[in-house]
Amino acid sequence: MIEYPNKLDKIFDKLDKHNIKPIIIGGFVRDYLLGMESKDVDIEVYNISSYEKLEDILKEFGRVNSVGKSFGVCKITLDDLELDFSLPRMDSKISAGHRGFDIKIESNIDFVTATSRRDFTINSIGYDIKNQKILDPYNGVKDLKKRILKIVDKKTFNQDPLRVLRAMQFCARFELRCDKTLISTCQEMIANNMLKELSKERIYKEFKKLFLKSQKPSIGLIFLAQVNGLNYFDELQMKNELWIKTLTSIDKFSNNKTDNKNTNITISLALLCYETDAGKIKSLIDKLSDKKNLFKKIYSFHHIAKHIQNRDNKLLYEVTKKIDTKELIPFLKALNIDNKEIKNIDNIKPIICGKEILACGIKPSKEFSQILKRAYEAQINKKFKTKKEVMTWLKNYLHT
């Protein structure tokens, strides 16, 4: 049996009264079998005549989000659960890209046929609510036990270029080895330049999942290299020793993430392209995001890491003062920079600011900037290191 939140029973009972058969499928079942908690539940419903009827039944349980209507998907939020109710469907490739499919809702097809469109066997496992039975037509449970990632159907898999990157982040998240057919299929897709069909937003989303949801992103990146994905992300082509160093630093950081998702993404990307030059960094970021400040921040991280030993470097200070050290220090630690050198960041940050000058009775004036300049020069010349020392220095400076 698969245990699911009891609060879902009120919805399942309502569906049963309409002779509609709900089957939990995909990520929730997979994660349960792996002993992982999930708040996202995908439910496929059978024996229903239309999307509109499903929408009408579900509306008493919360606001129905019909953003996925063209795919036959109703989304609702139930307390802390995100629920996707979908009608079985068949997809036909009609144009390039991740969304280049003709979607046909097929309410009367069986589970095996409906599931054939799914990407991996581990995502094709269903749970029949009424009969309390696991449905596993493609041996996903066996593959989970063997820790192997396999495709359901090569003919449908190779129609969607996004699945190459989904394979990348899935094998890393769940630490799976990849089946030979999966590897060869992805190699064929990349050889046909299918990654070029994807929008940067879709690519970025898969990289974010790789970095945020895995303890060893290196597994996914090694897979990407294995299927020749670095032909597309050519900015990451480097000498083997530098590639190993890059993978090691990313994994090290992944085991010491911060509490901020955006910070974790920025640091991971900065580590990913640390061994490349500015031009390649910008080119890579342009393939992932339109965020203009992302490249600037990553390049600033690199500048600081490469010049941290120069304690009196004013240019280093000018860069550092614009960055939150809560982001910078985990990045430096992942690169194995000596802790003594990392502490230099504290020496670069100015100890004294305007409020200390005001506290000494100096009113805002042109003299302010001169005092701050002299104070910082005294600091980097190691005349003081603590707040108490700077206040003593300031009073002496003002007195003279």
Side-chain angles (χ1 to χ4, degrees), residues 109-312:
I109 62 175
D110 60 87
F111 179 78
V112 176
T113 304
T115 310
S116 66
R117 68 175 177 81
R118 293 187 174 268
D119 50 10
F120 307 111
T121 60
I122 64 171
N123 290 337
S124 67
I125 310 167
Y127 183 68
D128 184 333
I129 302 298
K130 187 173 183 178
N131 296 309
Q132 299 183 346
K133 180 182 178 181
I134 289 178
L135 306 177
D136 187 21
Y138 299 102
N139 299 312
V141 174
K142 181 180 177 181
D143 292 338
L144 269 182
K145 289 179 179 178
K146 288 187 174 182
R147 314 298 291 184
I148 188 170
L149 190 64
K150 288 184 178 181
I151 61 179
V152 172
D153 186 336
K154 181 176 179 177
K155 292 180 180 178
T156 57
F157 186 92
N158 64 14
Q159 293 179 348
D160 186 355
L162 188 66
R163 289 179 168 182
V164 174
L165 300 182
R166 281 175 60 80
M168 172 190 73
Q169 53 103 347
F170 266 95
C171 68
R173 282 168 59 187
F174 305 113
E175 298 187 19
L176 308 173
R177 61 186 177 87
C178 294
D179 172 67
K180 290 181 180 179
T181 301
L182 168 59
I183 293 172
S184 62
T185 302
C186 289
Q187 287 174 337
E188 291 171 12
M189 294 166 73
I190 289 171
N192 291 327
N193 295 317
M194 291 184 68
L195 290 183
K196 291 184 178 180
E197 299 175 14
L198 296 172
S199 68
K200 62 179 66 180
E201 291 78 15
R202 294 302 308 182
I203 294 174
Y204 193 36
K205 187 175 182 179
E206 298 307 312
F207 271 94
K208 286 198 289 186
K209 289 179 181 178
L210 171 70
F211 292 133
L212 294 178
K213 295 187 176 185
S214 61
Q215 293 298 309
K216 293 184 178 179
S218 62
I219 296 175
L221 294 169
I222 289 170
F223 166 82
L224 187 64
Q226 187 178 16
V227 298
N228 303 321
L230 300 192
N231 289 344
Y232 179 75
F233 300 103
D234 57 316
E235 300 86 356
L236 298 177
Q237 292 183 357
M238 60 187 75
K239 292 181 179 179
N240 189 57
E241 61 267 25
L242 296 180
W243 178 241
I244 293 173
K245 184 178 178 181
T246 296
L247 298 178
T248 301
S249 65
I250 291 174
D251 282 354
K252 182 176 180 180
F253 172 68
S254 289
N255 286 280
N256 296 280
K257 294 187 184 82
T258 73
D259 295 328
N260 187 296
K261 290 184 178 180
N262 289 330
T263 295
N264 292 336
I265 291 296
T266 301
I267 293 175
S268 297
L269 287 174
L271 293 169
L272 179 63
C273 55
Y274 182 68
E275 299 296 343
T276 62
D277 58 40
K280 289 183 178 180
I281 297 170
K282 190 171 190 313
S283 176
L284 178 65
I285 299 305
D286 284 344
K287 288 179 180 177
L288 301 176
S289 174
D290 288 322
K291 296 179 181 179
K292 295 180 180 179
N293 65 330
L294 186 56
F295 165 73
K296 292 180 180 178
K297 181 174 284 189
I298 287 174
Y299 189 69
S300 297
F301 278 9
H302 288 199
H303 174 86
I304 293 167
K306 294 179 186 299
H307 295 86
I308 194 170
Q309 291 180 329
N310 189 349
R311 302 186 183 191
D312 297 338

